[in-house]
């Protein structure tokens, strides 16, 4: 160890030690000269004899260096310096290689950062491996996976598996909080959480405190915890806001604390949405009557598995059901919280990881080709070094060092690329993928980059290193003097590399093509409504008009004023829009008997008489709501086609009675087309529409406007109407229906865009590889082509031969790529929509595209070959 430490000190203190050794050597030489002088020698002779006795200054200094330091490190440092000098003389090659590697490593690091944030990194909570989600066991809307307050209360009391259980109000987006004071009115989104929610996650407020028990009871004093973003944006990071009251929905609400920046509720539990504050959610009989509204989260006790917790909750639920046969909503499905949050995105992200891996392989094949081409021009240099005694291992090491220097420089560029990409990805609000905001180039990503850089350098440098040191120095010197044929032995290797590039590019193009076709097919799905030229305005005046009749009058007056704006075709309102929210209520056909567990559910919407027309939902049978549908008349309902088929199979639903809630009868007056209310991928499910005059259970509403006016122009007019109707109303919560559809398909679009970019990059690299190989082959065959043209071959014949060789090369790659593509497509079948993994159109377009790229890449060398001067070629032979 002492020797190693001394060697390290000598290696890194080279300058100081050299100076000290030179001083010591000079002193020793002076003593020898003086001793020779005392023996009677002349000064010159005395110095010459002293130098001979010392063995020479230079050799002695080198011998000392070899014995004091780390020879391997010194040699490596020499190789690195030599690599930089060599690459510095070829700046064009150096820049091109670093750019290619940088883009490849940058893309790889960026995708790894996303995978790390979404799938690999632990959730940003205390001991996240013990966190579990307890969902309902039913199927359907969000109400089918959420639970009731009473269930949470009973599970807490009876279970032995969980350290604690908490929850948050899953339907938070149906309500809103109007903030007034401290600037313009603003609509805020708040989530109700149970008293122990933050403690269970292990999150402590950055300022202030958590909710106390008195605030978490029914009708407790209003309190709020601000998110860090709202605190910075709206309150200018004012620390004194804690303990003060702000006005939310007309009530003085005390700000009890500010959440830390690291706790991003929306990113984890509700991607794609905005959360501004947390409020207390009481576990009480009043909230239990709301039904399945709680998303339940539990912290398992140490050593308890989700399987054992599942078994215990099943037993508890069975006993609760036996004690109260009429109890509903008692299902429980226990799963790890991370799996619940990000599990559905795992296949898409794994496909992205595989795609970027293919791109990196193409990058390596391309660089190997570049290095092989460069090696041809260095064969004389290598042959001379070999003839002078450099052994093969030394040449291989030097070549690999150059590759590692290139990959290292490319990694530096790649880190910059990854930083830019992850910054854009984490800041986007257009993609609804959980934890995406946490994507960053952290220490783990940098370690991954270093590993990739080393592996990449070794991979693309190994083939040229073995070829360049493969002996044959005499042939190399002879070929170099003749200036031609030495590189022919390497042609097949370069061809094989190009074939592999084309095959990998083919796989990527097929994958991107399948996803793009799926995406386009998805966009062609019948939404059931027309999003074009339609705008939605979220308005919440519930706190201003707590009585239902007053609220209805306010909104109808507001809609009439908007309806009178020139350019507005129709106006309607609904408490929930398609593709944005999710819930389900029980509905039954009067007189029908249902088996246990098969009680029908439907997605409810409270609308007015203008909503169905404004949304462009076709009326299939019966009538739309009318002005006569008031509280004084019989309650009426409109159902969609799916609900009509399931509730009244084989019968005409018009005029039938539906049973809702507490045996309340609603008469069916109309049937409308199905609307995709959850996602575009899922088939339509039963829906029912009730008039806002006859159903009081609604708060905030969306005003839908169909217009021919531009959004900006209409927005100014509607804001003016809203301010006139109520100055305390926020006026900025507007979106087009097209944006709602875009947000619904954002995860799929994200994957399509990224893989599409990888596929284009792969096609470009493959075309460069084909061009390089064909161009190199043409250069090597210049004399042969000249002889053939001297014997009568026409320029057209030469062009056709070169193009044919190019297409043969590409065809082999395409055939191999198609075989791999079919296997790859089967792995990603879960991501496809409306097409098969062996979609003929996608395969045909891919083959045609690669053939065209190969033809274009080979056309330039073919044209150059056809212009070969036979006489000049023969003279150079």
């Amino acid at each position: 160890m002492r020797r190693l430490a001394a060697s390290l000190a000598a290696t890194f203190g080279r300058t100081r030690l050299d100076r000290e050794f030179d001083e010591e050597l000079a002193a020793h030489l002076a003593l020898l000269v003086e001793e020779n002088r005392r023996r009677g020698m002349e000064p010159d002779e005395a110095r010459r004899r002293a130098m001979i006795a010392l063995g020479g200054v230079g050799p002695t200094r080198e011998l000392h260096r070899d014995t004091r330091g780390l020879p391997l490190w010194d040699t490596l440092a020499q190789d690195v310096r030599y690599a930089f000098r060599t690459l510095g003389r070829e700046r064009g090659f150096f820049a091109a290689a670093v750019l290619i590697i940088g883009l490849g490593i940058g893309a790889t690091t960026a995708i790894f950062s996303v995978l790390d944030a979404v799938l690999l990194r632990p959730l940003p909570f205390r001991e996240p491996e013990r966190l579990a989600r307890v969902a309902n066991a039913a199927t359907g809307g969000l109400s089918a996976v959420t639970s009731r307050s009473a269930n949470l209360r009973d599970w807490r009391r009876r279970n032995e598996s969980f350290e604690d259980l908490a929850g948050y109000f899953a339907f938070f987006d149906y309500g809103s909080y109007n903030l007034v004071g401290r600037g313009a009115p603003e609509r805020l989104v708040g989530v109700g959480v149970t008293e122990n929610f933050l403690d269970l996650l292990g999150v402590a407020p950055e300022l202030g405190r958590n909710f106390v028990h008195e605030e978490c009871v029914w009708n407790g004093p209003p309190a709020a915890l601000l998110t860090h973003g709202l605190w910075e944006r709206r309150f200018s990071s004012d620390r004194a806001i804690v303990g003060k009251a702000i006005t939310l929905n007309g009530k003085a609400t005390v700000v009890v604390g500010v959440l830390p920046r690291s706790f991003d509720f929306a990113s984890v539990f509700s991607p794609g949405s905005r959360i501004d504050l947390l409020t207390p959610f009481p576990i009480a009989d009043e909230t239990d009557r709301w039904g399945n509204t709680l998303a339940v989260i539990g912290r398992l006790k140490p050593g308890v598995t989700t399987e054992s917790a599942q078994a215990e909750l099943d037993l508890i639920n069975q006993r609760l059901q036996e004690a109260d046969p009429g109890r509903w909503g008692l299902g429980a499905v226990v799963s790890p919280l991370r799996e619940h949050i990000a599990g559905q995105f795992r296949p898409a992200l794994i496909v992205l990881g595989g795609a970027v891996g293919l791109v990196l392989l193409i990058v390596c094949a391309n660089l190997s080709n570049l290095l092989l081409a460069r090696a041809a021009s260095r064969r004389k240099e290598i042959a001379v070094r070999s003839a002078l005694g450099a052994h093969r291992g030394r040449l291989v090491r030097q070549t690999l060092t150059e590759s590692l220097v290139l990959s290292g420089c490319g990694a530096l560029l790649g880190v910059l690329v990854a930083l830019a990409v992850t910054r854009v990805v984490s800041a986007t609000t257009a993609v609804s993928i959980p934890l995406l905001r946490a994507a960053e180039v952290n220490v783990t990503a940098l370690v991954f980059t270093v590993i990739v850089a080393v592996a990449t350098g070794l991979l693309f440098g190994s083939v040229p290193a073995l070829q360049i040191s493969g002996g044959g120095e005499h042939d190399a010197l002879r070929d170099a003097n003749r200036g031609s044929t030495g590189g022919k032995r390497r042609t097949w290797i370069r061809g094989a590399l190009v074939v592999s590039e084309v095959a990998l590019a083919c796989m990527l193009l097929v994958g991107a093509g399948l996803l793009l076709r799926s995406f386009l097919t998805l966009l062609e799905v019948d939404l059931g409504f027309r999003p074009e030229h339609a705008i939605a305005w979220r308005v919440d005046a519930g706190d201003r008009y707590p009585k239902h009749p007053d609220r209805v009058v306010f909104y109808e007056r507001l809609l009439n004023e908007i309806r009178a704006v020139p350019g507005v075709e129709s106006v309607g309102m609904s408490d929930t829009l398609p593709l944005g929210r999710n819930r389900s209520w029980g509905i039954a056909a009067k007189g029908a008997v249902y088996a246990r567990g098969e009680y029908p559910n439907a997605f409810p919407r409270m609308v007015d008489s203008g909503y169905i027309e404004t949304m462009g939902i076709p009326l299939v049978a019966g009538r739309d709501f009318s002005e006569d549908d008031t509280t004084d008349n019989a309650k009426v309902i409109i159902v969609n086609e799916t609900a009509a088929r399931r509730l009244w199979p084989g019968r005409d639903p018009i005029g039938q009675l539906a049973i809702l809630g507490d045996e309340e009868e609603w008469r069916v007056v109309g049937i409308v087309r199905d609307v995709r209310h959850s996602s575009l991928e899922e088939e339509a499910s039963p829906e029912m529409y009730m008039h806002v005059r006859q159903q009081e259970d609604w708060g905030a509403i969306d005003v839908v406007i169909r217009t021919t006016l531009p959004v900006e122009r209409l927005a100014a007019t509607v804001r003016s109407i809203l301010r006139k109707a109520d100055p305390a109303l926020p006026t900025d919560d507007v979106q087009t229906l097209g944006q709602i559809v875009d947000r619904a398909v954002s995860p799929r679009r994200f994957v399509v865009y990224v893989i599409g970019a990888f596929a284009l990059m792969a096609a470009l690299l493959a075309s460069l590889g084909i061009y390089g190989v064909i161009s190199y082959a043409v250069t090597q065959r210049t004399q042969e082509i000249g002889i053939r043209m001297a014997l009568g071959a026409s320029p057209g014949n030469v062009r056709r031969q070169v193009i044919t060789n190019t297409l043969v090369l590409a065809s082999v790659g395409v055939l191999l790529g198609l075989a791999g593509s079919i296997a790859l497509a089967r792995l990603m079948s879960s991501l496809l929509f409306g097409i098969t993994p062996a979609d003929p159109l996608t395969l045909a377009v891919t083959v045609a595209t690669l053939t065209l790229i190969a033809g274009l890449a080979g056309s330039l060398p073919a044209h150059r070959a056809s212009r070969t001067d036979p006489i000049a070629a023969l003279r150079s032979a």
Side-chain angles (χ1 to χ4, degrees), residues 529-536 562 565 567-572 611-617 703-709 714 737:
F529 64 94
R530 292 187 295 115
E532 305 85 10
H533 308 295
I535 305 170
I562 297 174
V565 174
V568 172
E569 297 179 344
S570 62
V571 181
Y611 175 76
I612 291 177
E613 176 193 353
T614 305
M615 288 293 290
I617 302 173
V703 175
V704 185
I705 306 170
R706 184 164 295 282
T707 177
T708 56
L709 298 175
L714 179 65
L737 295 193

Side-chain angles (χ1 to χ4, degrees), residues 348-605:
L349 293 176
I350 289 176
V351 167
L352 284 184
V356 78
L358 292 179
V359 170
L360 203 58
L361 288 176
I362 295 175
V363 165
C364 290
N366 214 295
L367 286 169
S368 289
N369 254 330
L370 284 176
L371 290 176
L372 280 174
R374 176 172 173 264
S377 62
R378 295 182 62 192
R379 292 192 66 228
K380 184 176 181 180
E381 171 202 338
I382 299 299
V384 170
R385 293 181 61 186
S386 179
L388 292 177
H391 55 82
R392 187 179 184 185
R394 184 72 176 82
L395 295 174
V396 168
R397 191 174 66 199
Q398 176 61 48
T399 307
L400 288 178
T401 301
E402 292 179 13
S403 302
L404 291 172
V405 166
L406 281 174
S407 64
C409 294
L412 294 177
L413 175 63
V415 169
L416 297 178
V417 172
L419 282 171
V421 172
T422 52
R423 184 165 298 179
V424 172
V425 168
S426 61
T428 184
T429 57
V431 180
S432 302
I433 295 179
L435 300 167
L436 194 61
R437 295 181 193 172
E440 61 177 356
V441 181
N442 52 17
V443 174
T444 305
L446 291 177
V447 171
F448 173 80
T449 304
V450 171
I451 295 173
V452 170
V454 172
T456 303
L458 294 176
L459 187 59
F460 72 72
S462 58
V463 173
L466 294 175
Q467 283 298 308
I468 206 169
S469 58
E473 55 270 16
H474 299 295
D475 292 340
L477 289 171
R478 186 183 67 248
D479 292 343
N481 291 333
R482 293 169 62 187
S484 61
T485 59
K488 291 181 179 178
R489 292 181 303 172
R490 297 170 173 82
T491 299
W492 71 271
I493 297 178
R494 302 192 64 199
L497 289 172
V498 167
V499 166
S500 66
E501 282 187 65
V502 173
L504 294 172
C506 180
M507 294 173 65
L508 269 175
L509 282 173
V510 169
L514 289 173
L515 290 177
L516 179 60
R517 284 260 294 147
S518 298
F519 185 64
L520 296 177
T521 304
L522 186 67
L523 293 182
E524 294 175 356
V525 164
D526 183 7
L527 299 172
F529 64 94
R530 292 187 295 115
E532 305 85 10
H533 308 295
I535 305 170
W537 228 289
R538 189 72 172 169
V539 181
D540 188 358
D543 60 306
R544 315 283 286 182
Y545 306 95
K547 294 183 179 179
H548 178 244
D550 297 339
R551 203 181 335 148
V552 172
V553 170
F554 169 79
Y555 280 121
E556 290 187 339
R557 185 170 65 245
L558 178 66
L559 266 59
N560 286 333
E561 292 187 25
I562 297 174
R563 196 172 287 120
V565 174
V568 172
E569 297 179 344
S570 62
V571 181
M573 69 175 187
S574 170
D575 71 327
T576 180
L577 294 172
L579 303 174
R581 303 177 184 95
N582 204 343
R583 64 183 175 190
S584 61
W585 288 3
I587 181 174
K590 185 178 181 181
V593 179
Y594 301 96
R596 185 176 179 180
E598 295 183 3
Y599 194 84
N601 285 300
F603 188 95
R605 283 193 177 88

Side-chain angles (χ1 to χ4, degrees), residues 58-78:
T60 303
R61 184 185 294 122
E62 292 299 323
L63 179 61
H64 176 262
R65 286 178 177 174
D66 290 342
T67 55
R68 79 185 181 197
L70 293 173
L72 181 60
W73 174 264
D74 289 342
T75 306
L76 181 61
Q78 290 175 7

